[in-house]
Amino acid sequence: MPLSQPDHSVPETDEEESDWEDDDDAGNIISSPNGLRYNIGLLPPRTQRLVRGVFNDQEQPRIFLESCGIKEEGSGDEGFFYAFQLHEVVPCSIRIGSRSSARWSTPVCKCPDAIYHKKQPCKHLVWLFDSIARHSSRGRDINKELTMTGLGYPEELGDPFQQISELRLDILADSLHCDTTTRNGDTTSPNRARVREAREMVAAVAGIQPHEVDGFRLDLETSDQQTSLIHRGDVEATLFSLLLASHSLAARVRAELTPPDAAVDPFRSLQRRAQRIISELDAFSSSLKDPKLATARQSEGKDKEGPRDVSWAASQIRCCVSQIEELVSRGARPLTSSQRVSAARALVGILKSVASHNVDSHAGGAVEDRNLYMCLIGGPDSGFIYSVLDMLVDQSQYVEELEFVMELIGRSGAPESYVSNMRDLITRMRSHTGIDSRRSSMAFPNSTSTPRNVTPPFEGVPPKGPRPETGSEFPSTEFLTPELPASASRLPDTRTSRGGRGRGAGRGRAAASSATGSKRSSSGGGQERGGGSKRPR
């Protein structure tokens, strides 16, 4: 059921004709600042002029997103809607409800143009929907034009409310560089993603190399730098506080940075999103066991959009990997050396995090429904990660980390085809080792040595300690359990090791299926699955 289209029968006045002067013969395909291409040929002439004005590089309105939140439509169970607070010269509000919403089934902006001049969509809706589409689109050619509807949203992406709901608003807010509000309307403290981004912006201004950013001025994030804008004797802390205090300043600095800078690196951003998703899965799992945590989540409105379970997490992580694949294979121009390094680092980081998450997060029927590892790696082979890394085989500095992943897979089990393809990938990466130092010196010109384990630590990796007992069985798919290296027995805790040197891609054999069914070893004491007495010979 398509979204209802606004009435375009409002007569155009002379004032409206002159709002956005443009050549009437201009093409119907235009590009937004976010890199999306739109076909606006089906829009009325007035709306076409408005869209061109919003996306005009020389005259783009200074619009910034300040906050977003989940609001209830009434006192009962009347549903909820998403509220976005934008700022141009004066603040304006946008309401986006579901198709069944009594008040907000059609997105509404409270700006003067929309209220008094009856402009639908207004420039604020066009700008916001372009930003949302940039981070919610997946599974399509990023260079293919989109058809803009009369609501200002791409027709190919469907319902904007549904797109936001699938990703979850607070996670989208990280990518939109805005804070989130509580249910009573009060703005919370700065989004933790904005805090980290502000520190990374300061690092870029200070000339810190990309691979050194993770260790730069960590005190800015941990200390209370927001009580005062000016920190005498500390220019970096002052800039940090100013960036958090002013969305407009942060947007202008962001626009001056380039992809090698960590604050605007799209691959780093997608890796962080995957990290956040796994963290949300763990929080959801904990809330099922602790009533206090469940109450806290309910007060934050996190239960409104649906459960943050394994099915949701796996879908969104696949979306992150898909967007990385699109940037690598179908970007506007070939990746630079540093961008290829960043893309491989993000993929390896996501793979390590998932491989370390072999645990039942909640109840469920099939093991793939309750275990993230089994859903993405241990279940039927879907080419998770390795199919994209196949385009980055020159990034041989990540071979050791991939070997560490293979050791984890060797303990947990995976389909024979998955292990075989990972073996082939590692072998081909090894063939590039001879040129690794030369490539790395180009990507990190001021580094004294080749950074081999530069994947940022994931907050989503489970802490040290025994795994919860799952008692799950092997699926019907035939699995291959790689032979464990001798070095694995000397590792005190492989889940937290930064890079095992064992050869997880060594020989293996398929686990034979029988009528009684083979079972994974899931005994206590922190043992990983597959680590029982039936180790391959």
Side-chain angles (χ1 to χ4, degrees), residues 2-6 8 20 27-56 107 120-134 140 144-158 160:
L3 291 173
S4 57
Q5 298 296 309
H8 295 292
W20 301 101
N28 292 329
I29 308 300
I30 62 172
S31 297
S32 75
N34 284 313
L36 301 181
R37 300 174 69 238
Y38 294 91
N39 185 336
I40 60 173
L42 301 179
L43 301 178
R46 182 184 67 183
T47 306
Q48 289 189 28
R49 287 191 293 273
L50 182 143
V51 173
R52 289 193 180 100
V54 172
F55 292 160
N56 187 293
Q120 182 77 342
C122 65
K123 57 189 175 184
H124 305 105
L125 279 174
V126 172
W127 181 91
L128 176 62
F129 284 155
D130 176 64
S131 299
I132 292 175
R134 172 68 183 85
R140 63 170 190 83
K144 186 177 180 180
E145 63 270 9
L146 300 168
T147 304
M148 184 175 288
T149 67
L151 295 173
Y153 193 74
E155 183 179 74
E156 291 78 2
L157 298 184

Side-chain angles (χ1 to χ4, degrees), residues 242-263:
L242 291 172
L243 290 169
L244 287 180
S246 172
H247 289 270
S248 59
L249 175 61
R252 297 189 66 175
V253 172
R254 192 182 302 117
E256 295 294 325
L257 301 179
T258 54
D261 296 316

Side-chain angles (χ1 to χ4, degrees), residues 210-211 259-272 324 327-328 335-350 389 392 394-395 397-398 439 443-444 454-456:
H211 65 283
D261 296 316
V264 293
D265 183 345
F267 302 110
R268 189 182 183 93
S269 175
L270 288 167
Q271 182 187 4
R272 288 262 173 77
I324 293 176
L327 292 171
V328 171
L335 298 181
T336 64
S337 177
S338 61
Q339 287 174 324
R340 292 181 67 83
V341 170
S342 181
R345 177 175 58 233
L347 290 167
V348 172
I350 295 173
L389 273 177
L392 301 165
D394 57 310
Q395 301 301 311
Q397 68 269 36
Y398 297 108
R439 183 194 63 249
F444 305 101
V454 294
T455 308

Side-chain angles (χ1 to χ4, degrees), residues 356 404 408 461-467 493-497 526 528:
S356 302
F404 166 68
L408 294 178
V461 176
K464 293 183 179 180
R467 294 280 190 188
D493 192 333
T494 57
R495 289 189 297 276
T496 57
S497 173
E528 300 285 352

Side-chain angles (χ1 to χ4, degrees), residues 15 44 71 173 179 193 223 244 293 332 353 419 488 509:
E15 178 184 0
K71 306 293 182 182
D179 302 321
S223 60
L244 287 180
L293 294 178
S353 184
V419 177
R509 64 182 179 85

Side-chain angles (χ1 to χ4, degrees), residues 117-374:
H117 299 295
K118 305 301 181 183
K119 289 186 177 180
Q120 182 77 342
C122 65
K123 57 189 175 184
H124 305 105
L125 279 174
V126 172
W127 181 91
L128 176 62
F129 284 155
D130 176 64
S131 299
I132 292 175
R134 172 68 183 85
H135 298 290
S136 63
S137 59
R138 61 182 183 273
R140 63 170 190 83
D141 188 345
I142 58 177
N143 294 316
K144 186 177 180 180
E145 63 270 9
L146 300 168
T147 304
M148 184 175 288
T149 67
L151 295 173
Y153 193 74
E155 183 179 74
E156 291 78 2
L157 298 184
D159 181 8
F161 179 90
Q162 187 66 26
Q163 289 289 325
I164 299 171
S165 182
E166 287 179 359
L167 178 55
R168 308 303 191 246
L169 181 64
D170 54 340
I171 295 177
L172 177 61
D174 290 353
S175 299
L176 295 180
H177 316 289
C178 74
D179 302 321
T180 56
T181 59
T182 58
R183 297 173 69 176
N184 59 12
D186 297 329
T187 301
T188 61
S189 57
N191 188 332
R192 60 181 180 180
R194 284 191 62 225
V195 173
R196 181 174 57 236
E197 181 195 44
R199 181 181 63 81
E200 292 172 347
M201 287 183 178
V202 175
V205 174
I208 303 300
Q209 291 301 310
H211 65 283
E212 299 174 339
V213 170
D214 287 333
F216 172 77
R217 290 300 304 267
L218 297 179
D219 61 295
L220 295 178
E221 293 189 36
T222 57
S223 60
D224 188 6
Q225 300 286 353
Q226 302 156 33
T227 56
S228 175
L229 292 180
I230 304 300
H231 303 275
R232 300 186 184 278
D234 194 340
V235 176
E236 293 171 346
T238 298
L239 176 57
F240 175 81
S241 296
L242 291 172
L243 290 169
L244 287 180
S246 172
H247 289 270
S248 59
L249 175 61
R252 297 189 66 175
V253 172
R254 192 182 302 117
E256 295 294 325
L257 301 179
T258 54
D261 296 316
V264 293
D265 183 345
F267 302 110
R268 189 182 183 93
S269 175
L270 288 167
Q271 182 187 4
R272 288 262 173 77
R273 181 187 290 185
Q275 167 185 329
R276 173 74 187 276
I277 288 166
I278 294 176
S279 176
E280 289 294 327
L281 170 62
D282 291 339
F284 171 76
S285 177
S286 298
S287 70
L288 297 177
K289 308 168 186 175
D290 189 333
K292 292 183 179 179
L293 294 178
T295 301
R297 287 178 60 82
Q298 186 175 7
S299 65
E300 295 171 0
K302 289 191 174 183
D303 60 328
K304 290 285 187 179
E305 299 167 297
R308 306 191 180 198
D309 54 11
V310 167
S311 176
W312 167 80
S315 174
Q316 294 305 319
I317 291 174
R318 288 192 187 102
C319 177
C320 293
V321 175
S322 175
Q323 291 191 43
I324 293 176
E325 179 181 13
E326 291 172 359
L327 292 171
V328 171
S329 62
R330 296 191 290 270
R333 57 185 60 87
L335 298 181
T336 64
S337 177
S338 61
Q339 287 174 324
R340 292 181 67 83
V341 170
S342 181
R345 177 175 58 233
L347 290 167
V348 172
I350 295 173
L351 180 61
K352 287 172 62 178
S353 184
V354 173
S356 302
H357 211 276
N358 183 13
V359 58
D360 283 4
S361 298
H362 49 74
V367 64
E368 292 89 351
D369 296 332
R370 59 180 186 267
N371 186 303
L372 185 65
Y373 171 88
M374 292 303 301

